[in-house]
């Protein structure tokens, strides 16, 4: 399978714990995006990378959130001291090239439930 | 800043009838417009896009969309709906720069046999 892969698919944690999600993009895709989707809403942009550089972060990305893409390949999204409001589906997407038409290829998401 | 409005939370249509899912947008400059579909417990799948050129864009699974600059709309259409088209549909927009895609809230399409 050469699509975008996300792990774990489901994570249940207690409030205050830290969680980390991993995303493996499509090979050779330069851009990698993180979005968050809650019930009844469309995906909301969190952050994106061009290779290993994090180019933009949304105001939704509080200090408890950190994302990395250390070698320009896979990425991790860590949430520290989780809160119940963090419960959501976290979506990763990738796209090819430096200048593209913006089409994103999404993974199946990582669902977080904070108890 | 870019924005997308999908005015209908739910659209119901009988199988075999034409369907339309509405989308309007706001963007500075020329828009790049997209439609995605999401089936239960699955990721978003790309359907079609408008970048430039012909206002009528054809995409996957028999879907098409019409770009209307004066009405700032990009409605999704299909001549004959299938039960298997039942899903959540998202419209998205970005500007000509390298800004991230902005999504609408989504419209749930229900095709009834």
């Amino acid at each position: 399978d050469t699509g975008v892969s996300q792990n774990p698919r489901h994570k249940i944690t207690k409030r205050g714990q830290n969680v980390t999600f991993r995303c493996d993009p499509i090979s050779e895709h330069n851009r990698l995006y993180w979005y968050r989707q809650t019930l009844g809403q469309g995906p909301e942009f969190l952050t994106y990378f061009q290779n290993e550089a994090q180019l933009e972060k949304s105001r939704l990305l509080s200090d408890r959130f950190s994302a990395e893409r250390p070698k320009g390949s896979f990425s991790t999204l860590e949430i520290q001291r989780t809160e119940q409001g963090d419960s959501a589906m976290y979506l990763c997407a990738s796209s090819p090239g430096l200048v593209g038409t913006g089409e994103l290829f999404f993974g199946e998401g990582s669902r977080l439930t904070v108890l | 800043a870019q924005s997308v409005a999908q005015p209908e939370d739910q659209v119901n249509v009988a199988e075999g009838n034409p369907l339309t899912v509405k989308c309007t947008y706001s963007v500075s400059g020329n828009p790049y417009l997209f439609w995605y579909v999401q089936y239960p417990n699955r990721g978003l799948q790309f359907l079609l896009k408008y970048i430039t050129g012909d206002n009528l864009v054809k995409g996957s699974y028999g879907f098409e969309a019409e770009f209307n600059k004066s009405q700032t709309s990009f409605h999704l259409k299909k001549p004959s709906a299938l039960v298997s088209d039942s899903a959540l549909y998202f419209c998205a927009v970005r500007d000509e720069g390298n800004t991230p895609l902005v999504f609408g809230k989504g419209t749930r399409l229900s095709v009834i046999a």
Side-chain angles (χ1 to χ4, degrees):
Chain A
D1 184 18
T2 57
V4 177
S5 176
Q6 292 189 245
N7 288 289
R9 294 290 312 280
H10 303 274
K11 179 71 176 179
I12 301 174
T13 190
K14 292 182 180 180
R15 188 177 55 186
Q17 298 295 305
N18 299 344
V19 297
T20 299
F21 300 113
R22 174 177 170 129
C23 172
D24 289 88
I26 294 172
S27 297
E28 299 176 359
H29 275 194
N30 293 311
R31 293 197 163 199
L32 186 148
Y33 299 78
W34 286 99
Y35 282 79
R36 181 173 70 186
Q37 185 179 18
T38 53
L39 197 63
Q41 299 295 322
E44 297 172 296
F45 168 74
L46 293 178
T47 188
Y48 87 95
F49 294 83
Q50 173 75 43
N51 297 316
E52 67 274 9
Q54 189 172 16
L55 295 187
E56 187 171 341
K57 294 192 291 186
S58 162
R59 287 174 294 177
L60 292 175
L61 213 66
S62 76
D63 292 344
R64 296 184 298 104
F65 288 70
S66 63
E68 295 182 340
R69 194 182 182 198
K71 296 183 179 179
S73 56
F74 73 91
S75 175
T76 58
L77 177 68
E78 180 183 17
I79 309 174
Q80 297 182 327
R81 305 181 303 281
T82 52
E83 302 173 355
Q84 288 184 328
D86 297 332
S87 295
M89 178 75 84
Y90 290 86
L91 301 173
C92 177
S94 66
S95 68
L98 294 174
V99 178
T101 54
E103 177 183 342
L104 302 184
F105 298 82
F106 281 86
E108 296 194 339
S110 293
R111 182 172 296 283
L112 173 64
T113 301
V114 181
L115 301 177
Chain B
Q2 303 97 293
S3 67
V4 171
Q6 294 183 242
E8 302 154 316
D9 290 336
Q10 172 111 17
V11 170
N12 298 317
V13 64
E15 187 176 31
N17 283 2
L19 70 87
T20 298
V21 182
K22 296 179 180 177
C23 171
T24 58
Y25 67 89
S26 173
V27 68
S28 300
N30 293 319
Y32 289 9
L33 292 155
F34 302 79
W35 276 101
Y36 284 80
V37 60
Q38 187 176 37
Y39 297 100
N41 301 313
R42 301 296 302 274
L44 278 76
Q45 296 178 30
F46 169 77
L47 276 180
L48 52 79
K49 64 185 175 186
Y50 171 84
I51 305 300
T52 186
D54 194 348
N55 289 344
L56 186 63
V57 178
K58 295 187 183 298
S60 307
Y61 313 120
F63 283 94
E64 57 189 28
E66 186 168 11
F67 171 64
N68 187 316
K69 188 172 183 178
S70 63
Q71 297 185 3
T72 61
S73 67
F74 189 56
H75 300 332
L76 182 69
K77 300 180 180 183
K78 187 173 182 181
S80 178
L82 300 173
V83 172
S84 57
D85 293 329
S86 298
L88 197 52
Y89 290 81
F90 292 97
C91 182
V93 68
R94 59 176 278 250
D95 61 23
E96 295 171 286
N98 289 321
T99 56
L101 276 180
V102 173
F103 287 83
K105 292 178 59 176
T107 298
R108 184 166 301 280
L109 173 67
S110 179
V111 181
I112 305 164

